[in-house]
Amino acid sequence: MSDSSSPERLLEQNVFDEWPDAARTLFDGSSLASKTGFTASLLTVDANGHVRTSLLGAGELYAPDSRSLCVALWPQSRTARVIGQTGRAALTFVCDEAFYQVQLRLTPLTRVTGDDSGLVYLIGSIDTGEAQSVRYARLTGGITFELEGDGKAVLDRWERQIEHLKQAAAAASR
């Protein structure tokens, strides 16, 4: 991790190619109920130069190791289609009082037995990541949400999705 800040600079920028501890904990697939409300933006650029965004929660993101991220997407989403063509995306989120932007190279994962979710699973390696913060303001959150209705059903679905991401990531590493 490098720090491009100096005493004169207000912007602190850390560049990384491995998940910092706070981000790795966020994407470890555990304690999903405590991570409800967290939102990350997965951004792609299509052939026409249009930016496409999918908003993802903690139940759709899993880091199997310090340099990778698994993602669960609906196959009909524009973001999934663009990733299928380019293999590239950027993930942005707020964590540990900093704004993160992580450039990812993504490839499909094989479906796991018993998964009837219809989701597409991808695994991405970190091309480069940046965490930015400023000394005069503290980021307290990014895009957040509250579950409506049967929140337990969503958490149960997330648990299954994370388990499928873990199985697919493990099968890919063999």
Side-chain angles (χ1 to χ4, degrees):
M1 194 178 287
S2 66
D3 182 0
S4 61
S5 66
S6 67
E8 306 83 46
R9 294 186 62 169
L10 296 177
L11 174 68
E12 293 184 33
Q13 185 175 20
N14 295 311
V15 178
F16 59 89
D17 61 2
E18 289 190 35
W19 291 114
D21 290 343
R24 180 86 190 270
T25 299
L26 187 58
F27 303 132
D28 67 3
S30 70
S31 304
L32 293 177
S34 71
K35 298 171 185 173
T36 299
F38 167 81
T39 307
S41 297
L42 188 66
L43 302 133
T44 58
V45 178
D46 69 17
N48 295 323
H50 297 135
V51 175
R52 303 297 180 192
T53 304
S54 284
L55 298 177
L56 304 173
E60 297 155 322
L61 301 162
Y62 168 65
D65 58 53
S66 65
R67 295 178 183 263
S68 301
L69 184 69
C70 296
V71 180
L73 294 174
W74 293 108
Q76 67 273 23
S77 72
R78 291 181 291 190
T79 301
R81 288 195 305 267
V82 172
I83 291 170
Q85 296 164 358
T86 67
R88 311 252 331 154
L91 187 76
T92 62
F93 58 95
V94 172
C95 176
D96 201 27
E97 300 180 356
F99 174 76
Y100 283 76
Q101 183 169 6
V102 183
Q103 304 295 322
L104 298 166
R105 295 180 187 269
L106 296 145
T107 58
L109 285 167
T110 305
R111 294 192 81 68
V112 297
T113 305
D115 176 17
D116 60 357
S117 68
L119 295 170
V120 171
Y121 300 125
L122 306 164
I123 188 165
S125 59
I126 297 174
D127 187 20
T128 185
E130 294 180 4
Q132 299 179 9
S133 60
V134 292
R135 294 188 181 128
Y136 58 85
R138 184 172 57 89
L139 288 177
T140 58
I143 300 169
T144 59
F145 68 93
E146 291 181 8
L147 292 175
E148 303 257 332
D150 189 4
K152 181 172 178 353
V154 173
L155 287 172
D156 289 345
R157 178 172 50 89
W158 279 6
E159 292 286 346
R160 287 189 306 275
Q161 287 173 193
I162 290 295
E163 188 55 38
H164 292 145
L165 283 171
K166 287 178 179 180
Q167 292 172 15
S173 66
R174 289 185 210 141

